[in-house]
Amino acid sequence: MNIVENFDLYAPKLTDKKEYFSPGHRACQGCGEALAIRLMCKALGKDTIIVNATGCMEVVSTMYPTTAWELPWIHVAFPNSASVGAGVEAALKVLRRKGKIDDRDVKTVCIGGDGGTFDIGLQALSGTMERGHDLLYVCFDNEAYMNTGIQRSGATPFGASTTTNPAGSASIGKNQWKKNVAEIMVAHNVPYVATACPSYPVDFMNKVKKAREFKGPSFIHCMSVCPTGWRIPSAECIKMGRLAVESGVFPLYEVENGRYRFTYRPEPLRPVEQYIKKQGRFRHLTPETIESVQKRVILEYKKLVDRVDGLHSWDELELAD
Amino acid sequence: MAEAKLLSGNDACVQGALAAGVRFFAGYPITPSTEIANAFARELPRRGGIFMQMEDEIASMGAIIGASCTGTKAVTATSGPGFSLMQENIGYAAIAEIPCVIINVMRYGPSTGLPTSPSQGDFMQSRWGSHGDRPVIVIAPYTAREAYRETGRAVNLSETYRVPVIVLMDEILGHLRERVEFRDEDLVQEISRKGPEPGRPFLPYENTEDGVPPFADFGTGYRYHITGLIHDETGFPTNNPVEVDTTMRRVNGKLELHRQDIERTQFVDADDAEILIVAFGSVARSAHEAVRTLRNEGKAVGMVRPITVWPFPEDDIRTAAAGKKAIIVPEMNLGQMIGEVERAVAGTVPVHALNRIDGLLITPHEIRDLVEDLL
């Protein structure tokens, strides 16, 4: 039995007992994003401030009169969790310097969905990364605007049907390829960028812990399966995340000071058909289209392999004084 | 044309826009306006039109401005936070005089506010939301049938007067579904902007008699300057006080010249009423019901309903208010239109506010109770 079929391998019970994202929230059954946030919080620990852009997680976690958050938490507008986080981080630094608060390592963590990160929030994110704030940004990518009812985003994959890219006789659904936001973050020359998926909980939590330790901006792109929007049974969430990784659609890697490293190398890759065929959002795709998706996935994967093999950490560069 | 359909207010806006010749929509998902984007995404490709989902509402406004420059009739739709983000570009469209239509399905704010609840909190923002003085037409339908007709009219007014036009919906009106029976008067015409006269020198911002310069669509052979800087008749930026004054007075004054064509007001039993209710949008549905039941009991109550809310129909209000005992202005905000009503009647009639800001509609009962207190 391999990792995709073997659910016993999934063992969140092995993690800390303490919950900072507590049960009782109103996420859909099988929500990969709620699961990812729970794991992220466990990895971050209590000295954490969460800045949450508008989106599914803000809505489902704070239904009046309850909250799932056992951490300081602020919900801000759709475009600017990165800017508000920058303000929080900078002001904490000043307070610490002046001795007004304990000199504890309190981490500011901004979170947003794919809409709030790839689209409307990209400008704020870019500015924050460039200025070099000591904060972590985690994008929980469920590949569409699920909160408003499945509209396409810059993260929606090629060929997926959404309500603003409906597939039909005249359209195959989304006709553009997904934006590579992790690469955009790497291009900002920040110390740490990683991709992750809660279907690989230990890998994800390790990356969050690592990102927490970096002084400076770090970014994690977390693939979060959305059974509602992807049109899959809610019990398939973990499996679908694994198929995304095992097929090479969403490789798990990290970029530390410019150096690429696979954290899990699922070669030989499974055919993307296994991933695509299970999802209602891709139901209409013809074998020819699936074949072109397959070619693209392999191309992108090879580009990544080249980077892993070829690029080195900037720490290794000998700079002239 | 007598044809009955079951339509939501949001769907009706889309149908009205399509009937007026809209072939371009750029937008961004936001509750409670998302159904408008979804419907355009389905309908436009079938008609050879373009649907574009943008990365935010700033981009949505940018795209419809760009599309409109080519002569394509362009619309966007949004709500609260998105409407705030659009304000700079609405100001741009107003000073560059680029026709465009913005459907704002109001929800309560500020900020994220109450995304799934109705409000009339954008009455003033729709008029004054950008910096500086800018002209704008704002239309507030109150039924799905009217949403169809008035969205069509909004497109035509924006083309005729080269001005951004805002269709001010709200969550109730956007999401309610009702039987709509279209009659001949609902027929939406297709009116397009006037172009340059062949053989005549083209001045893109000419001080024409009607205040509206001709628009040369991109790609039709004209080369000229469009800018958000204050410009003279040639379109080139100017600091010259005389030219700045001339341009700004024409741009802001052109709607005044055409008030009769732009204004639309409904009067319900207003002539012999003692108490007059002034209401717009979905609150006017409650007001209408209150008038109907009170009239059945023989009480002298009437309603004036601005359909075009900006420019505000001061004359209609002043005329209807003459000799009345009192005016009631029910609104789902803390009192925005009431200031305009008070300005119109200038102290001649006492004006009473009735406000709700809890995300619920003002009911006919609440209006009745206040009327009975005042009678």
Side-chain angles (χ1 to χ4, degrees):
Chain A
M1 203 185 274
N2 62 52
I3 190 170
V4 175
E5 280 86 25
N6 185 0
F7 285 93
D8 295 337
L9 272 181
Y10 184 72
K13 284 176 189 155
L14 296 177
T15 62
D16 282 356
K17 273 204 178 131
K18 178 66 189 160
E19 298 283 358
Y20 298 99
F21 186 75
S22 57
H25 57 73
R26 271 72 152 183
C28 306
Q29 273 192 348
C31 174
E33 197 170 344
L35 173 64
I37 287 189
R38 180 180 162 214
L39 295 171
M40 174 192 77
C41 290
K42 281 172 181 274
L44 287 169
K46 72 172 173 46
D47 282 345
T48 306
I49 294 169
I50 303 282
V51 183
N52 194 164
T54 288
C56 278
M57 285 305 107
E58 160 259 316
V59 172
V60 303
S61 66
T62 57
M63 285 281 190
Y64 179 83
T66 63
T67 177
W69 295 94
E70 302 199 12
L71 294 168
W73 179 87
I74 177 173
H75 160 228
V76 299
F78 211 180
N80 60 356
S81 70
S83 330
V84 174
V88 170
E89 184 272 340
L92 282 178
K93 199 155 63 186
V94 172
L95 290 173
R96 230 177 270 132
R97 191 194 299 147
K98 288 185 170 174
K100 303 240 174 179
I101 56 171
D102 289 349
D103 190 14
R104 279 217 317 273
D105 181 22
V106 176
K107 191 79 175 182
T108 305
V109 178
C110 305
I111 62 176
D114 48 296
T117 306
F118 286 60
D119 294 346
I120 195 170
L122 189 64
Q123 179 173 321
L125 175 60
S126 176
T128 292
M129 291 286 146
E130 187 272 330
R131 284 189 305 270
H133 293 276
D134 179 18
L135 58 73
L136 165 63
Y137 190 105
V138 187
C139 169
F140 295 98
D141 173 12
N142 57 20
E143 302 200 314
Y145 291 85
M146 301 309 182
N147 189 27
T148 44
I150 324 174
Q151 286 78 35
R152 62 90 87 187
S153 77
T156 304
F158 181 86
S161 181
T162 71
T163 56
T164 48
N165 265 108
S169 54
S171 167
I172 64 150
K174 191 178 170 190
N175 199 16
Q176 298 87 19
W177 296 91
K178 183 181 175 111
K179 198 187 275 189
N180 191 337
V181 81
E183 279 303 313
I184 296 172
M185 290 302 106
V186 171
H188 283 70
N189 295 318
V190 295
Y192 188 72
V193 175
T195 64
C197 175
S199 297
Y200 299 81
V202 177
D203 178 74
F204 176 44
M205 291 176 73
N206 282 342
K207 284 169 177 167
V208 172
K209 279 187 175 149
K210 204 166 185 177
R212 197 192 192 294
E213 294 313 311
F214 274 95
K215 289 287 162 228
S218 48
F219 181 86
I220 296 177
H221 178 189
C222 180
M223 171 67 96
S224 308
V225 176
C226 173
T228 308
W230 295 16
R231 307 279 185 233
I232 57 169
S234 51
E236 300 267 287
C237 170
I238 302 302
K239 193 169 179 173
M240 210 53 63
R242 288 196 182 152
L243 281 170
V245 173
E246 297 279 330
S247 62
V249 167
F250 191 80
L252 297 180
Y253 64 98
E254 60 184 10
V255 186
E256 204 174 324
N257 292 329
R259 183 169 183 272
Y260 284 72
R261 187 175 79 85
F262 279 110
T263 55
Y264 174 64
R265 210 157 168 164
E267 294 156 25
L269 300 177
R270 283 170 180 261
V272 290
E273 197 183 0
Q274 288 186 11
Y275 173 65
I276 284 176
K277 278 281 184 193
K278 288 183 184 298
Q279 302 179 39
R281 61 178 175 158
F282 295 123
R283 188 175 53 189
H284 54 284
L285 294 186
T286 60
E288 294 76 43
T289 314
I290 295 175
E291 187 48 37
S292 67
V293 173
Q294 178 69 71
K295 282 185 182 150
R296 180 72 180 236
V297 166
I298 289 184
L299 178 81
E300 294 294 331
Y301 192 82
K302 279 186 176 158
K303 271 161 68 180
L304 186 60
V305 170
D306 285 349
R307 290 192 199 103
V308 171
D309 292 343
L311 293 174
H312 298 281
S313 163
W314 58 59
D315 292 344
E316 295 167 26
L317 294 177
E318 285 177 29
L319 295 175
D321 287 325
Chain B
M1 199 191 167
E3 183 196 350
K5 277 185 178 173
L6 183 69
L7 272 185
S8 74
N10 280 346
D11 285 338
C13 285
V14 176
Q15 295 301 325
L18 291 170
V22 167
R23 291 296 177 270
F24 187 96
F25 180 92
Y28 189 72
I30 186 162
T31 306
S33 77
T34 308
E35 297 81 8
I36 296 177
N38 290 352
F40 273 117
R42 277 194 312 273
E43 298 298 328
L44 279 172
R46 287 182 193 157
R47 292 166 166 82
I50 298 281
F51 169 88
M52 285 201 327
Q53 190 181 312
M54 307 305 291
E55 71 273 21
D56 60 24
E57 290 87 349
I58 299 172
S60 304
M61 267 310 293
I64 67 165
I65 286 169
S68 179
C69 287
T70 72
T72 309
K73 293 177 186 174
V75 167
T76 188
T78 190
S79 182
F83 192 53
S84 294
L85 288 179
M86 288 179 177
Q87 292 302 330
E88 187 192 359
N89 270 336
I90 294 175
Y92 176 90
I95 184 62
E97 297 180 84
I98 296 167
C100 55
V101 171
I102 302 104
I103 303 166
N104 175 21
V105 189
M106 288 186 283
R107 66 194 225 187
Y108 194 52
S111 190
T112 311
L114 291 175
T116 54
S117 300
S119 152
Q120 297 181 321
D122 305 347
F123 176 83
M124 280 295 176
Q125 192 196 17
S126 67
R127 175 67 187 90
W128 304 108
S130 316
H131 57 282
D133 287 309
R134 63 140 157 86
V136 68
I137 297 172
V138 184
I139 299 176
Y142 91 142
T143 59
R145 180 181 165 210
E146 213 174 66
Y148 172 86
R149 192 180 62 201
E150 292 298 319
T151 307
R153 190 168 76 99
V155 174
N156 291 333
L157 287 174
S158 82
E159 290 284 322
T160 307
Y161 301 114
R162 292 189 57 175
V163 69
V165 179
I166 292 159
V167 180
L168 208 53
M169 302 276 288
D170 63 59
E171 189 275 337
I172 291 174
L173 200 47
H175 284 164
L176 70 79
R177 280 171 197 281
E178 61 187 351
R179 182 187 151 89
V180 181
E181 226 173 279
F182 289 114
R183 304 198 192 101
D184 285 344
E185 69 255 34
D186 297 314
L187 198 71
V188 170
Q189 305 201 313
E190 279 193 56
I191 300 172
S192 295
R193 63 195 74 170
K194 69 176 177 203
E197 271 177 57
R200 203 165 159 267
F202 172 58
L203 266 179
Y205 292 95
E206 188 181 345
N207 285 313
T208 53
E209 231 170 85
D210 67 353
V212 187
F215 194 106
D217 298 333
F218 281 179
T220 55
Y222 290 86
R223 182 169 66 84
Y224 65 107
H225 204 84
I226 303 180
T227 173
L229 290 159
I230 310 294
H231 39 266
D232 64 8
E233 286 184 287
T234 65
F236 286 105
T238 176
N239 284 338
N240 179 319
V242 176
E243 285 168 351
V244 170
D245 190 80
T246 307
T247 298
M248 292 311 285
R249 284 189 195 280
R250 176 185 62 74
V251 169
N252 282 289
K254 67 184 171 184
L255 300 185
E256 206 53 43
L257 293 176
H258 304 280
R259 247 183 195 270
Q260 278 221 307
D261 180 39
I262 296 165
E263 276 184 1
R264 193 172 272 187
T265 309
Q266 186 194 17
F267 300 90
V268 180
D269 298 331
D271 285 348
D272 62 340
E274 281 180 61
I275 307 281
L276 194 65
I277 304 163
V278 183
F280 74 99
S282 59
V283 171
R285 296 171 75 103
S286 291
H288 205 150
E289 173 64 13
V291 168
R292 197 182 60 81
T293 52
L294 285 161
R295 280 280 169 178
N296 282 344
E297 294 163 18
K299 288 167 183 157
V301 186
M303 173 174 83
V304 180
R305 179 172 71 90
I307 300 171
T308 302
V309 294
W310 293 106
F312 191 72
E314 294 150 26
D315 290 344
D316 286 342
I317 301 290
R318 191 178 304 116
T319 312
K324 301 287 187 261
K325 199 169 163 187
I327 294 174
I328 299 172
V329 184
E331 331 175 53
M332 287 188 286
N333 56 45
L334 278 175
Q336 297 190 14
M337 186 170 71
I338 191 170
E340 296 306 305
V341 174
E342 284 170 343
R343 203 145 75 134
V345 302
T348 55
V349 182
V351 183
H352 299 268
L354 177 55
N355 309 109
R356 264 192 104 144
I357 50 160
D358 54 359
L360 293 175
L361 179 64
I362 296 173
T363 63
H365 271 286
E366 289 172 278
I367 298 172
R368 278 183 58 124
D369 288 350
L370 184 55
V371 170
E372 280 167 352
D373 284 351
L374 293 170
L375 268 170

